[in-house]
Amino acid sequence: MTHFDLAIIGTGSGNSLVTPDFDDKRVAVIEEGLFGGTCLNVGCIPTKMFVYAAEVADTIRGSATYGVDSTLDGVRWRDIRDRIFGRIDPIEAGGRDYRVNGPNTTAYLGHAEFVGPRELRVQVGDHVDEVTADRIVIATGAHSVVPEAISQSGVPFHTSDTIMRIDELPSSIVILGGGFIASEFAHVFSALGVDVRVVTRGARMLRKEDERISAEFTALADRQWDVHLSAEVVGAKSSAGEVALELASGELVSAELLLVATGRRPNTERLGLGKAGIATESDGRVTVDEFGRTNVPGVWSLGDASSPYQLKHVANHEARVVAHNLVHPDDLQAFDHRFVPSAVFTHPQIASVGMTEAAARESGADVTVKVQEFGGTAYGWAMEDTTSIFKVVADRRTKLILGAHVMGPMASTLIQPIIQAMSFGQTAPEVARGQYWIHPALAEVVENALLGLEFD
Amino acid sequence: MTHFDLAIIGTGSGNSLVTPDFDDKRVAVIEEGLFGGTCLNVGCIPTKMFVYAAEVADTIRGSATYGVDSTLDGVRWRDIRDRIFGRIDPIEAGGRDYRVNGPNTTAYLGHAEFVGPRELRVQVGDHVDEVTADRIVIATGAHSVVPEAISQSGVPFHTSDTIMRIDELPSSIVILGGGFIASEFAHVFSALGVDVRVVTRGARMLRKEDERISAEFTALADRQWDVHLSAEVVGAKSSAGEVALELASGELVSAELLLVATGRRPNTERLGLGKAGIATESDGRVTVDEFGRTNVPGVWSLGDASSPYQLKHVANHEARVVAHNLVHPDDLQAFDHRFVPSAVFTHPQIASVGMTEAAARESGADVTVKVQEFGGTAYGWAMEDTTSIFKVVADRRTKLILGAHVMGPMASTLIQPIIQAMSFGQTAPEVARGQYWIHPALAEVVENALLGLEFD
């Protein structure tokens, strides 16, 4: 039995909880997987590095539009992969080493399970430790969900955990799923020359996005890839060098590799939460209040284990809040989930913040909407853009921005002034006219979207 | 003698003064050059379209870094040129036609000169008209300055007015100047395969930028082009297919074409301002107050004719202000020149707003500075960036941002949250932590720059 001031389960955003406030305290850091969590190792960071290479390949393919002729001679998959993980893996190892050999912390490289309210059973290899702590933070993240039709079929498949480490590009890939992970990998593989098939049960891809974005993205996806919408997978089979999904329609969709990207579920199932009496939501997330507290005193949670967002910037925010709250019990800060943006690094790129148009109308707001085409601005002319849009949803009476939904180059950066405006309560006309927008920068798309809103 | 309610000289930003407020008024629009002014016809818009093609060529050349092998097969200059002006020229013609044949306005396609306070002599071809107006707006823009060493030498040369319309790419070009126009064309031509030589009297290129940006840009320029700094041109000579600049050092710098980009001067010399008693600055700009009024009642000025900025977004802002003031003499608005950003669309791209570090220190502020490398963020990893920086200058006591200076991809859009923060008086910590920044978008560079500032 070893007692700690703080025990952290999971080293994604949880790893940042070891602040200087704990310099003279005893901290346990428990990790059964890769140090640094999903984002660093198998999530946002490596995927965006692949996406960038994909963007370069797409630029080459499209160069003739601009009067520049080029040939895509080839893609060195192993070089791309090794460049990316050659950068990431040492960071993972360094993070692990710092917790194993660094100051203040005791690292347990194994699995933790609650056996009581602030009591853990930690298994490292064959060795089992009993760990107690005044404060325990559940920051265990989430994992890929694999539908039974696949898992029980016995066919070989990849998830986002493994697909980036394959040795050779396949000639074709079938991607099961229509969300952001599926869409990003479809973009990466198709840009790198792989024949992409997408199978999703949704009637559209990216269906959590604003309806217009989702519809237009789906139309563009359909032009690039072999997309099967509203498809129910009833089974799968494999033969030498091929995996086939069996759809309820009777259709078979086959490819050299199968990637399953049908969503992620919080890593809470194997934590023994019941034994500690820690409450969870129906989807498995740990129930927390606005301060990150579970129902059990001294037990906290953050990130994908408890948050519905499954976004690294949200997990980081929650970690900062919990880090504060752990040492300031009389001055608790609340999570700020008012205006959480997100992006999908596809081609075109997608970004959004706030309410979709449909949600805004449902909310009873007096909604006004402007859809600004990138092609209607000078930089859009330069890009010869014909598909990109910046949609803003605002309240006709208060003139406040309710949401923005962007599909086009640099969407994830272009949307920032809107996030800023919403976060600080600036009205659309104020933001549009209260500052300069450099002419003819791409940011003029935002200015024009705001100016296009009609108010009373 | 024809009398108008309003006479506008110049159809760049001036053209937008014909608001619905003048629907029942008589308006004269006078233009001796291209309709739409510098920006549309020979400035920001076509240059950025060339720049975009240049970016595509650069991406192709650098693709191997990302594991994507490609060959730049060739550049179709005429196709690029014709695509660009095929879009712009009809807009120019349409704008002209709308003023010639449209409602409310009388167009004079010729040269105007003051003969009295609100009296103009307008020459259209051989025909001369006397025009009087209750209000006259001078919006005549600026023109390229050509040093006497060139103009008197008799060598053939181009300015930004003509260089974009040439029929064939030269094998080499010598660019005289080190400011933003020189730098942008150096970028465009070198990316399109032309051997570029730059000759500038400055010790650095882009010397109006923050010292660090200017120094690092100059170093990068020197690696790409044959750059001659601190060079005094004493003469020029030409022979078949070649122009040579003679430097005071005795050196000759020669190329197939010569582009002169040594600055621009307001178009005020031939306006007869003296006859109307209109005051000017020592550099030729029309003197205006904060409302856009000259010293002569009823005569206004805006844009490059009177503004020191020579930026389209400033001219547009001034036009909006003057448009208001023309019809609301009892409720005048003032120009807002507090936080004027600018950008240079080079490779790397440059953007800045507010004070340079040196200016901030000179102002007596208690200065704190952070230089954030793009390479220190996740998106920077994806870009394999090694040269881009985001520099923020702030006041240690007030925590307000005093300036930002950016060199790197998308600088002109990336800087927008800083412009917004400065314009609305938001402190650096507030902006950094009061909103979400999408991970791992390029915008995280801004977040990290702000977080890196040290305050008391």
Side-chain angles (χ1 to χ4, degrees):
Chain A
M1 176 91 73
T2 318
H3 186 74
F4 292 90
D5 294 290
L6 171 65
I8 305 159
I9 317 174
T11 60
S13 294
N15 200 33
S16 66
L17 296 172
V18 193
T19 59
D21 289 322
F22 289 96
D23 277 358
D24 57 350
K25 300 277 196 331
R26 302 192 62 205
V27 179
V29 173
I30 306 162
E31 176 59 65
E32 66 173 327
L34 292 165
F35 249 73
T38 298
C39 174
L40 173 67
N41 292 290
V42 294
C44 8
I45 292 186
T47 51
K48 262 84 269 182
M49 295 174 82
F50 281 102
V51 162
Y52 196 81
E55 289 294 319
V56 168
D58 276 340
T59 300
I60 295 163
R61 278 204 195 81
S63 73
T65 302
Y66 307 98
V68 179
D69 293 322
S70 67
T71 308
L72 180 58
D73 299 319
V75 164
R76 286 174 277 113
W77 168 261
R78 283 185 192 223
D79 288 354
I80 300 175
R81 180 196 67 181
D82 295 347
R83 171 174 61 83
I84 293 170
F85 290 107
R87 194 191 269 249
I88 287 173
D89 291 347
I91 298 173
E92 192 273 342
R96 176 185 305 265
D97 183 65
Y98 186 70
R99 288 300 179 224
V100 170
N101 300 310
N104 302 325
T105 51
T106 302
Y108 291 90
L109 306 181
H111 177 68
E113 245 183 80
F114 281 88
V115 290
R118 278 179 304 284
E119 242 184 289
L120 299 170
R121 180 184 178 277
V122 184
Q123 175 148 10
V124 181
D126 292 338
H127 185 74
V128 172
D129 263 317
E130 296 286 321
V131 166
T132 58
D134 295 341
R135 287 154 290 188
I136 296 181
V137 181
I138 304 166
T140 47
H143 64 279
S144 300
V145 171
V146 178
E148 286 194 353
I150 306 298
S151 59
Q152 297 191 343
S153 72
V155 301
F157 65 88
H158 285 276
T159 68
S160 52
D161 289 347
T162 57
I163 191 69
M164 289 183 271
R165 302 237 182 200
I166 57 177
D167 286 327
E168 307 286 349
L169 275 181
S171 62
S172 59
I173 190 168
V174 52
I175 299 176
L176 180 57
F180 75 92
I181 298 174
S183 298
E184 289 188 355
F185 280 115
H187 164 43
V188 166
F189 284 109
S190 87
L192 298 185
V194 177
D195 199 351
V196 169
R197 289 122 207 198
V198 174
V199 173
T200 177
R201 63 181 176 177
R204 294 193 312 266
M205 296 191 73
L206 298 179
R207 60 198 169 133
K208 289 179 187 166
E209 299 293 335
D210 180 270
E211 213 165 284
R212 168 108 184 229
I213 301 285
S214 171
E216 298 202 4
F217 181 82
T218 303
L220 290 172
D222 198 48
R223 278 197 248 159
Q224 300 177 71
W225 315 316
D226 174 31
V227 178
H228 300 258
L229 301 170
S230 307
E232 191 195 338
V233 175
V234 293
K237 55 187 182 181
S238 63
S239 54
E242 197 172 87
V243 188
L245 296 182
E246 304 167 351
L247 309 190
S249 63
E251 207 177 348
L252 282 180
V253 183
S254 59
E256 196 180 322
L257 286 188
L258 166 61
L259 169 64
V260 178
T262 45
R264 295 172 66 81
R265 203 170 286 157
N267 288 326
T268 54
E269 287 161 0
R270 297 161 52 240
L271 285 178
L273 298 179
K275 285 191 189 140
I278 298 168
T280 57
E281 305 289 323
S282 60
D283 59 6
R285 286 181 295 120
V286 176
T287 302
V288 288
D289 65 12
E290 73 216 277
F291 307 113
R293 298 182 299 197
T294 70
N295 62 314
V296 173
V299 181
W300 305 69
S301 185
L302 61 84
D304 293 0
S306 52
S307 173
Y309 291 101
Q310 301 195 333
L311 291 167
K312 177 62 170 170
H313 42 282
V314 174
N316 283 344
H317 166 75
E318 295 183 351
R320 286 192 295 271
V321 170
V322 169
H324 171 92
N325 291 346
L326 286 172
V327 292
H328 298 92
D330 299 326
D331 174 32
L332 294 181
Q333 290 179 358
F335 295 148
D336 182 353
H337 291 149
R338 292 172 306 150
F339 307 110
V340 174
S342 63
V344 191
F345 290 78
T346 34
H347 183 81
Q349 203 176 100
I350 310 264
S352 67
V353 62
M355 284 190 265
T356 62
E357 181 180 348
R361 293 199 186 281
E362 237 168 73
S363 78
D366 188 357
V367 171
T368 175
V369 171
K370 167 69 182 179
V371 177
Q372 172 66 45
E373 295 178 359
F374 284 37
T377 67
Y379 204 86
W381 299 0
M383 296 190 301
E384 294 287 330
D385 190 278
T386 56
T387 57
S388 302
I389 54 173
F390 199 110
K391 177 173 180 174
V392 201
V393 181
D395 185 300
R396 194 181 289 273
R397 279 181 302 249
T398 63
K399 300 183 184 175
L400 290 170
I401 303 164
L402 302 175
H405 308 280
V406 191
M407 181 173 79
M410 299 304 296
S412 59
T413 286
L414 201 53
I415 201 172
Q416 196 67 43
I418 301 288
I419 303 171
Q420 191 162 331
M422 292 175 73
S423 301
F424 292 98
Q426 298 164 336
T427 67
E430 233 181 343
V431 173
R433 278 292 176 246
Q435 65 180 323
Y436 281 100
W437 303 80
I438 295 174
H439 181 74
L442 183 55
E444 287 187 320
V445 170
V446 188
E447 179 192 20
N448 282 299
L450 293 171
L451 290 174
L453 289 166
E454 286 178 13
F455 298 106
D456 288 338
Chain B
M1 176 88 75
T2 319
H3 186 74
F4 292 90
D5 295 289
L6 169 66
I8 304 159
I9 317 174
T11 60
S13 295
N15 200 33
S16 64
L17 296 172
V18 192
T19 58
D21 288 323
F22 289 96
D23 276 358
D24 56 349
K25 302 277 194 332
R26 299 194 60 204
V27 179
V29 173
I30 307 163
E31 175 60 66
E32 66 173 329
L34 292 165
F35 249 73
T38 298
C39 174
L40 173 67
N41 291 291
V42 293
C44 10
I45 290 186
T47 52
K48 263 82 269 182
M49 294 174 83
F50 282 102
V51 162
Y52 197 82
E55 289 293 320
V56 168
D58 276 341
T59 300
I60 293 162
R61 278 203 195 81
S63 73
T65 301
Y66 308 98
V68 179
D69 295 322
S70 66
T71 308
L72 180 58
D73 299 320
V75 164
R76 285 174 277 114
W77 168 262
R78 283 184 192 224
D79 287 355
I80 299 175
R81 181 196 66 181
D82 295 346
R83 171 173 60 84
I84 293 171
F85 291 108
R87 194 191 271 249
I88 287 172
D89 291 348
I91 298 173
E92 193 274 341
R96 176 184 306 266
D97 183 66
Y98 186 69
R99 288 300 177 225
V100 170
N101 300 311
N104 302 325
T105 52
T106 302
Y108 291 90
L109 305 181
H111 178 67
E113 245 182 80
F114 281 88
V115 290
R118 278 179 303 282
E119 242 183 290
L120 298 170
R121 180 184 178 277
V122 184
Q123 176 148 13
V124 179
D126 293 337
H127 186 74
V128 171
D129 263 314
E130 296 286 322
V131 165
T132 57
D134 296 338
R135 286 154 290 187
I136 297 181
V137 181
I138 304 167
T140 48
H143 64 279
S144 300
V145 171
V146 178
E148 287 193 351
I150 305 298
S151 60
Q152 296 191 345
S153 72
V155 302
F157 65 89
H158 286 274
T159 68
S160 53
D161 288 348
T162 57
I163 191 69
M164 289 183 272
R165 301 236 182 203
I166 56 177
D167 285 328
E168 306 287 347
L169 274 182
S171 62
S172 60
I173 190 166
V174 53
I175 300 176
L176 180 57
F180 75 92
I181 298 174
S183 299
E184 289 188 354
F185 281 116
H187 164 44
V188 166
F189 284 109
S190 88
L192 299 184
V194 177
D195 199 351
V196 169
R197 288 123 207 194
V198 174
V199 174
T200 176
R201 64 181 176 175
R204 294 193 311 266
M205 298 190 72
L206 298 179
R207 60 198 171 134
K208 288 181 188 165
E209 298 293 335
D210 180 89
E211 216 164 280
R212 168 109 185 228
I213 300 287
S214 171
E216 298 203 5
F217 181 81
T218 303
L220 289 172
D222 198 48
R223 277 197 247 158
Q224 300 176 72
W225 315 316
D226 174 30
V227 178
H228 301 258
L229 301 170
S230 306
E232 192 194 339
V233 174
V234 293
K237 56 188 182 182
S238 63
S239 56
E242 197 172 84
V243 188
L245 296 183
E246 304 167 351
L247 309 190
S249 64
E251 205 177 350
L252 282 179
V253 183
S254 59
E256 197 180 321
L257 286 189
L258 167 62
L259 170 64
V260 178
T262 47
R264 296 173 66 81
R265 203 171 286 156
N267 289 327
T268 55
E269 287 159 1
R270 298 162 50 242
L271 285 179
L273 297 179
K275 285 193 192 141
I278 298 168
T280 57
E281 306 288 323
S282 60
D283 59 5
R285 285 180 294 119
V286 177
T287 302
V288 289
D289 65 11
E290 74 218 273
F291 308 113
R293 298 182 298 196
T294 71
N295 63 313
V296 172
V299 181
W300 305 68
S301 185
L302 61 87
D304 293 0
S306 54
S307 173
Y309 291 101
Q310 299 193 335
L311 291 166
K312 179 60 170 172
H313 42 281
V314 173
N316 283 345
H317 166 74
E318 294 183 353
R320 285 192 297 270
V321 170
V322 170
H324 170 92
N325 290 346
L326 286 172
V327 292
H328 298 92
D330 299 326
D331 174 32
L332 295 182
Q333 290 179 358
F335 295 148
D336 182 354
H337 291 148
R338 292 173 306 151
F339 307 111
V340 174
S342 63
V344 192
F345 291 78
T346 36
H347 183 81
Q349 202 176 101
I350 311 264
S352 67
V353 62
M355 285 191 263
T356 63
E357 180 180 348
R361 294 199 186 281
E362 238 169 74
S363 78
D366 188 356
V367 171
T368 176
V369 171
K370 167 69 181 179
V371 178
Q372 173 67 45
E373 295 179 357
F374 284 37
T377 66
Y379 204 85
W381 298 1
M383 295 190 301
E384 293 288 329
D385 189 277
T386 57
T387 57
S388 304
I389 54 174
F390 199 110
K391 178 174 180 173
V392 201
V393 181
D395 187 299
R396 194 182 288 276
R397 280 180 302 250
T398 63
K399 301 183 183 175
L400 290 170
I401 303 165
L402 301 175
H405 309 281
V406 191
M407 181 173 79
M410 299 303 294
S412 59
T413 285
L414 201 52
I415 201 173
Q416 196 66 43
I418 301 287
I419 305 171
Q420 192 163 331
M422 291 176 73
S423 302
F424 291 98
Q426 298 165 335
T427 67
E430 231 181 346
V431 173
R433 278 292 176 248
Q435 65 180 322
Y436 280 100
W437 303 82
I438 294 173
H439 181 74
L442 183 56
E444 287 187 319
V445 169
V446 188
E447 179 192 20
N448 283 297
L450 293 171
L451 290 174
L453 290 166
E454 286 177 12
F455 298 106
D456 290 337

